[in-house]
Amino acid sequence: MNPLHLQAPAPRPAAFLHQAGVPSSMEVGDPIGSRLRRLREQLDPVRRVVHAGETIFQAGERFAHLHVVNAGLFKLINTSADGREQVVGFKFRGDWIGFDGIADGRHKSDAVAMDTSEVWVLPYEQLLARSVQQPGLLGELHAAMSREIAHDRESMMALCTLPADARVADFLRYWAESLAMRGMRTDEIALRLTRAEIGNYLGMTLESVSRALSKLVRAGVIAFCSKGRRDVRIPDVEALGRFVQRYLVPASATLQ
Amino acid sequence: MNPLHLQAPAPRPAAFLHQAGVPSSMEVGDPIGSRLRRLREQLDPVRRVVHAGETIFQAGERFAHLHVVNAGLFKLINTSADGREQVVGFKFRGDWIGFDGIADGRHKSDAVAMDTSEVWVLPYEQLLARSVQQPGLLGELHAAMSREIAHDRESMMALCTLPADARVADFLRYWAESLAMRGMRTDEIALRLTRAEIGNYLGMTLESVSRALSKLVRAGVIAFCSKGRRDVRIPDVEALGRFVQRYLVPASATLQ
DNA sequence: CGTTCGATTGAGGAAGATCAATTAATGTGG
DNA sequence: CCACATTAATTGATCTTCCTCAATCGAACG
């Protein structure tokens, strides 16, 4: 029996088929684009351009605005009281940034642009006021927060249950999927991250990331593009998923 | 320079003093109690009693209600598509449960009672309707989601940056703090979790948990109460924090 | 009172970290 | 444009941490 349940719960319902990232109010084709379009119509937000390496806010600053990524790419960096630093997330086009500041009015992380990017600045109080009039807007906000919570849980799970190589494979899969969801090329992707950053995000050293990538190349699941080892070629995203699975067959792993 | 920033960002603002868990709308004394009182007045929710081992919902079920813990204690369990299972969080009195189901209308985890517990059942649509009229209610909802996101990030960080022993110490500290915040005794705590569950939550084996606890006992930071090794005596919660710190001095650790 | 489940502890092994050397890409000033 | 400096990535050798396997012990329960 399932060791995590103190007592065996009722059997799992049949409709148990979910994976993160599938948006709810789905317009076929381009859910994220249409999400953004609706937001722009409803809020006509101020746009702000941020260049690579610049932040939209830093941990500790007063929270007053939420941001939505309209172009580019961000990483979120947390710093613990004792100075440990970690990349805790990435934000792509259509993602919201800044939820963790709502509770006590202070941002909890640095939001750093990884490329020239554009965010829409949404004054939180104004957003609330408009949400009250436009229920669709409120739904959008809640869905975004909900997705973030669900995704963070998936990350925790990957950290806890996957060995290093599989974690790297899973990370690439996640990245490719994020791009695909936004209608971007997924066969050749530019990570714009150092091995150290990837390792920091995945809880391993940069050497382990490098070795894992080399292994994935040897396994034929990925390849590096022409010059530089920063750009990754992924002929078949599904193959990454299968690579992750292969690691789970030995210790099939319900736990223990 | 900080290796995680592509370029050096502006200096960190002085008001950089945060740690998870300090609620925003703080009534001195009992922030969680007053939060619950307000909720009850505003919503007069249906109460539901759940016994140890029973679930309030399971992953895959249709999402229709949020829940607020009024008494007892829950664990959230995620299951990946391939069958990996993990405890991804705990919910104490005053915590909300079910946010991860909002986005696509399906719950993403099992919510299992760890003790006889009472939750308030809040029909999501009704909650939205009321929130539109009562802005304080909406603020409460958002604050709860925000806290959850912030806390999950802290968990990710512990998983990625702390060695096993420190992770166990940090877990006990978190648990004691959660109890303290709710006005409960913190010098003797009943975990109601097996080593396997703790290990699963912290990404390590049950043996490692056991060894870590023994080490904490030997270090004089904790002790086991009388009969059984389930109940932990924590004479000084601060000492747990210092124990965690001690692990960080060697590899002082900004990364790399 | 024996059975079962959880916890502890030890021994050995494996995954990943650390240390170190080399190579590749990027950038800089002449 | 090239020599040189700098930063990132790779790869190997070694070491540490944590996992795995196994035996023992204790508590709880029928």
Side-chain angles (χ1 to χ4, degrees):
Chain A
M1 255 300 87
N2 183 333
L4 288 181
H5 291 86
L6 292 174
Q7 285 126 43
R12 202 168 285 285
F16 184 63
L17 272 175
H18 64 78
Q19 194 62 290
V22 180
S24 72
S25 54
M26 170 140 43
E27 254 116 303
V28 263
D30 185 12
I32 284 147
S34 49
R35 224 148 68 192
L36 283 169
R37 213 171 310 119
R38 279 197 303 274
L39 268 182
R40 190 161 46 81
E41 285 163 8
Q42 292 177 322
L43 292 172
D44 188 34
V46 170
R47 294 156 179 244
R48 178 175 167 196
V49 172
V50 193
H51 296 99
E54 295 175 357
T55 61
I56 33 182
F57 55 75
Q58 288 183 262
E61 287 178 8
R62 268 222 95 72
F63 164 85
H65 314 279
L66 286 171
H67 296 83
V68 171
V69 182
N70 183 47
L73 179 56
F74 290 83
K75 59 182 173 185
L76 302 182
I77 299 177
N78 266 31
T79 308
S80 70
D82 47 65
R84 283 169 292 145
E85 218 177 42
Q86 205 203 346
V87 178
V88 292
F90 299 99
K91 295 293 159 186
F92 299 89
R93 175 175 155 88
D95 288 339
W96 294 61
I97 301 182
F99 292 140
D100 59 7
I102 294 176
D104 69 353
R106 298 238 168 239
H107 288 288
K108 298 281 172 299
S109 54
D110 301 359
V112 186
M114 299 174 66
D115 199 354
T116 302
S117 307
E118 183 191 289
V119 289
W120 293 345
V121 183
L122 313 181
Y124 180 60
E125 291 303 334
Q126 184 195 342
L127 180 67
L128 286 185
R130 304 258 175 113
S131 299
V132 168
Q133 294 148 6
Q134 312 188 3
L137 188 55
L138 191 58
E140 201 62 67
L141 173 67
H142 290 176
M145 296 182 88
S146 174
R147 276 192 302 269
E148 181 147 338
I149 290 169
H151 178 261
D152 286 355
R153 297 270 168 76
E154 302 244 340
S155 297
M156 273 191 58
M157 193 139 179
L159 286 172
C160 284
T161 64
L162 294 181
D165 293 342
R167 247 158 36 225
V168 172
D170 192 59
F171 170 73
L172 291 176
R173 193 195 47 70
Y174 152 67
W175 198 276
E177 219 165 61
S178 299
L179 296 184
M181 211 179 293
R182 287 157 181 84
M184 299 167 80
R185 290 188 63 175
T186 179
D187 55 335
E188 284 198 9
I189 65 181
L191 281 178
R192 308 188 157 283
L193 282 166
T194 66
R195 305 292 190 253
E197 285 174 310
I198 298 173
N200 178 270
Y201 176 62
L202 296 177
M204 67 185 82
T205 61
L206 64 97
E207 291 94 332
S208 291
V209 174
S210 181
R211 279 185 245 269
L213 289 172
S214 299
K215 200 175 212 168
L216 287 168
V217 170
R218 256 175 280 130
V221 183
I222 65 167
F224 289 119
C225 310
S226 55
K227 295 275 181 195
R229 287 166 225 81
R230 216 61 166 275
D231 298 359
V232 177
R233 155 173 289 279
I234 306 178
D236 175 17
V237 178
E238 310 271 306
L240 280 171
R242 285 195 296 275
F243 186 90
V244 173
Q245 297 309 312
R246 219 166 304 153
Y247 271 91
L248 303 173
V249 184
S252 188
T254 299
L255 142 71
Q256 232 198 40
Chain B
M1 256 298 91
N2 182 333
L4 289 181
H5 291 84
L6 291 172
Q7 284 128 43
R12 204 166 285 284
F16 184 63
L17 272 176
H18 64 78
Q19 193 63 293
V22 179
S24 72
S25 54
M26 170 140 44
E27 253 116 303
V28 263
D30 185 12
I32 284 148
S34 50
R35 224 146 67 192
L36 282 170
R37 212 171 310 119
R38 278 196 304 274
L39 267 183
R40 191 163 44 82
E41 287 163 8
Q42 293 176 321
L43 292 172
D44 187 35
V46 170
R47 294 155 179 243
R48 176 176 168 195
V49 173
V50 193
H51 296 99
E54 296 173 358
T55 61
I56 32 183
F57 55 75
Q58 287 184 264
E61 288 179 7
R62 269 221 93 72
F63 164 85
H65 314 279
L66 287 171
H67 296 83
V68 170
V69 182
N70 184 47
L73 178 59
F74 290 84
K75 59 181 173 185
L76 303 182
I77 299 178
N78 267 31
T79 307
S80 70
D82 47 66
R84 283 169 291 145
E85 217 177 43
Q86 204 201 348
V87 177
V88 293
F90 299 98
K91 296 293 159 183
F92 299 90
R93 175 175 154 89
D95 287 339
W96 295 59
I97 300 183
F99 292 140
D100 59 8
I102 294 176
D104 68 355
R106 297 237 168 240
H107 288 288
K108 299 280 172 301
S109 53
D110 301 358
V112 185
M114 300 174 64
D115 198 354
T116 302
S117 307
E118 182 190 290
V119 289
W120 294 345
V121 183
L122 313 180
Y124 181 59
E125 291 303 333
Q126 183 195 348
L127 179 67
L128 286 185
R130 304 256 174 114
S131 298
V132 167
Q133 293 149 7
Q134 311 188 5
L137 188 55
L138 190 59
E140 202 62 66
L141 172 67
H142 290 176
M145 296 182 89
S146 174
R147 276 193 303 270
E148 181 147 337
I149 289 169
H151 178 261
D152 286 355
R153 296 272 168 76
E154 303 245 339
S155 297
M156 272 192 59
M157 193 138 178
L159 286 173
C160 284
T161 63
L162 294 180
D165 293 341
R167 239 146 57 215
V168 172
D170 192 58
F171 169 73
L172 291 176
R173 193 193 48 68
Y174 152 67
W175 198 277
E177 218 164 62
S178 299
L179 296 183
M181 212 179 291
R182 287 157 181 85
M184 299 166 80
R185 290 188 63 175
T186 179
D187 55 333
E188 284 198 8
I189 64 182
L191 281 179
R192 310 188 155 282
L193 282 166
T194 65
R195 305 292 190 250
E197 284 175 310
I198 298 174
N200 178 270
Y201 177 62
L202 296 176
M204 66 185 83
T205 59
L206 64 96
E207 292 95 333
S208 291
V209 174
S210 181
R211 279 185 245 269
L213 289 172
S214 299
K215 199 174 211 169
L216 287 168
V217 171
R218 257 175 279 132
V221 183
I222 65 168
F224 289 119
C225 310
S226 54
K227 296 274 179 192
R229 287 167 226 79
R230 214 61 166 276
D231 298 359
V232 177
R233 155 172 289 278
I234 306 178
D236 176 17
V237 178
E238 311 270 305
L240 280 171
R242 285 195 296 275
F243 186 90
V244 174
Q245 297 307 311
R246 218 166 305 151
Y247 271 91
L248 303 172
V249 183
S252 191
T254 298
L255 142 70
Q256 229 198 37

